[in-house]
Amino acid sequence: MDDGPDNKNPALTGGLACPLPFTRREQVLLAHGAGGRLSAELIGALILPRFANPALTRLHDQAILTLPPGRLAFSTDTYVVDPLIFPGGDIGELAINGTVNDVAMSGARPLFLSLGLVLEEGLPFATLERILDSMERAAREAGVQVVTGDTKVVPRGKCDKLFINTSGVGVVPEGLELDASRIRSGDVVIVSGTVGDHGLAVLTCRERLSFISQIRSDTAALYNLVAVMLAASSRIRVLRDPTRGGVATSLNEFAASSRLGIVVEEDSLPVAPAVRGACEALGLDPLTVANEGKLLAVVAREDAEPLLAAIKGHPLGREARIIGQVVDEHPGLVALRTGLGVKRLLEMPVAEQLPRIC
Amino acid sequence: MTRYVSEFRDPAIARRLCAEIKFLVTAPWVIMEVCGGQTHAIVRSGIDQALPPQVRLVHGPGCPVCVTPIEVIDQAIAIARRPETILCSFGDMLRVPGSHQDLITARAQGGDLRIVYSPLEALQIARENPGQQVVFLAIGFETTAPGNAMAVSLAAREGLDNFSLLVCHVLVPPAMRALLGAPDNRVQGYLAAGHVCTVTGLADYEAISRDYRVPIVVTGLEPNDILEGLVMVLRQLEAGEHRVENQYQRSVRPAGNPLAWGMVEKVFAVRDQKWRGIGLLPASGLGLREEFAAFDAARKFEVAAITPEESPLCISGLVLQGIKRPDECPAFGAGCRPEHPLGATMVSSEGACAAYFHYQRL
Ligand code: SF4
């Protein structure tokens, strides 16, 4: 934890075996980020016990890691979400799963994470601990180690309760290259489950939209599913987790990089009934809403069915469907074929979606 | 809601209704869907392309965000910029271009602007912030009027003096009359806005149908509602008949919702109203009654006279009257796009230009 030299001294933090007694306070104080005794307490009592591993526990400025041979997949993301805790998850789980998934979409097994916390003065410790608990759980379930980190506290009003940055690394298996430029005409697009759940869960919770039945975030770590998929097909062209901007954005990226067209069948899109209803009421399109536990795969046609079967056999892929195909027409563009058989453009969302009147 | 939704979007039913329309039509007809939500459903699901060429749909003025005069946006921005105010608005007003900027820019520059989903939420913000003046941007058709009336009467009962409405309420039937009365009118039948009639009932529509001898079918918002509404209008047109029919029976009663409308009439009175792009239409809006003047933000905050400036390129007035299609506007997709709109019809979730832009044909 890079909070100045003092709290990196194992003698001061007491290491793992004997953490300093954590002086009970209700809320995070500025001093918890000042690098002194309170910082050391926070790290020793809240962080180390949860994420213990040899690299982290050294508490040096850097983690020293031994990686298996191969190419490194490296990704970073910063998580800001209001509210911190929402149905189906919280910011901590998101911060672990999101970066794990970004690494996993290269086919790499995510191995190590860094963790940066920006805390707002006054954040209740109860909230922080709950979020750290779910980070610990998410990291354990995803099989990644948090090996280095940093904590800062900023004055009240200078950030919104808690921001988290995580970076992650993994090693890409020999010979595997997942890239949208490898997409070919005739390939098939698969989605691993229902779309739009996460974005609607956060929106309806934040705005307290009581007229909408509860929707749970789908946040989940996807590497295990990816491993199952890679074992089932050697002809997967590309994988992507459609987070911000939703499925529409990822598909448009595929079309742009491959210079091919994509046609999505509207009727085949899996959308949970509550999400569909909420989107109708709010004037939103589930295809442009964020997901946190779903992936899109483009695969050679001959492997589509076996791959779909493999995905459906995994707990995170039960609702998987083939939703479209890659075509030579309209290169660079994505079309949606509606129930009436009409094709229309599916474009990238412009900006933050603003729910409509009435 | 969920159960309804799937039933009214079932593609098999949609294809059957399309086939019925093809079978029915023997002559060219021009039908206007009044409501912007219907326009979006039509363009999104591709109904306009699935219809036989004789049936031409023109898009109506039924987008409250689009017809809110630019002065009201400018006023809202001026109010939001004052240090003592919190301006509350529905989300889709935020990117509507005013003369010089939009509300979202005013927020970025420090104005306290909050997105709410109902006026009662704005009322709650007023209760929780007694030191601040809370202003709700009360726009909409008849559908949103009862909620706004309710908020004002609650505020009056509670004696809240830090809550007010910036009102721009428009009424649909006067606009329908104005369009039919225009010398170059081409509209031969209407799909009326089901949600509006849920509140008001059908009486005004009966009168319009009689006076102008047009078929009017009160229609819902789902694709299959619209197709069924079209079948009903076309049957009348082909038979040379004109009357009001109710496709949206699951929501609309002939008398409307008298309780809700009674609340509206207690708080609001009919007034002449300016529509953005269309102009002043007599008796086409609602203003707060004199006894509720204390809740009228336009009076409370002496917003200095602002000279509104519309983009000279924007033809949204013609679009809103169904005279031009959005893609006939020279700026469409070029100078005017959702990320830098020239007119409100390009940003509102019910605007016709936005529908054409988002759901372009391929
Ligand atoms: S495309 Fe833009 S400029 Fe043209 S009418 Fe629509 S909003 Fe106005």
Side-chain angles (χ1 to χ4, degrees), chain B residues 311 313-317 319 326 329-333 336-337 341-346 353:
Chain B
S311 159
L313 298 173
C314 180
I315 60 160
S316 66
V319 171
C329 169
F332 177 83
C336 178
R337 301 167 63 87
L342 298 181
T345 44
M346 185 53 96
C353 298

Side-chain angles (χ1 to χ4, degrees), chain A residues 331-345:
Chain A
L333 300 177
V334 183
L336 192 73
R337 198 184 342 249
T338 71
L340 288 169
V342 171
K343 274 209 275 181
R344 64 167 180 78
L345 184 71

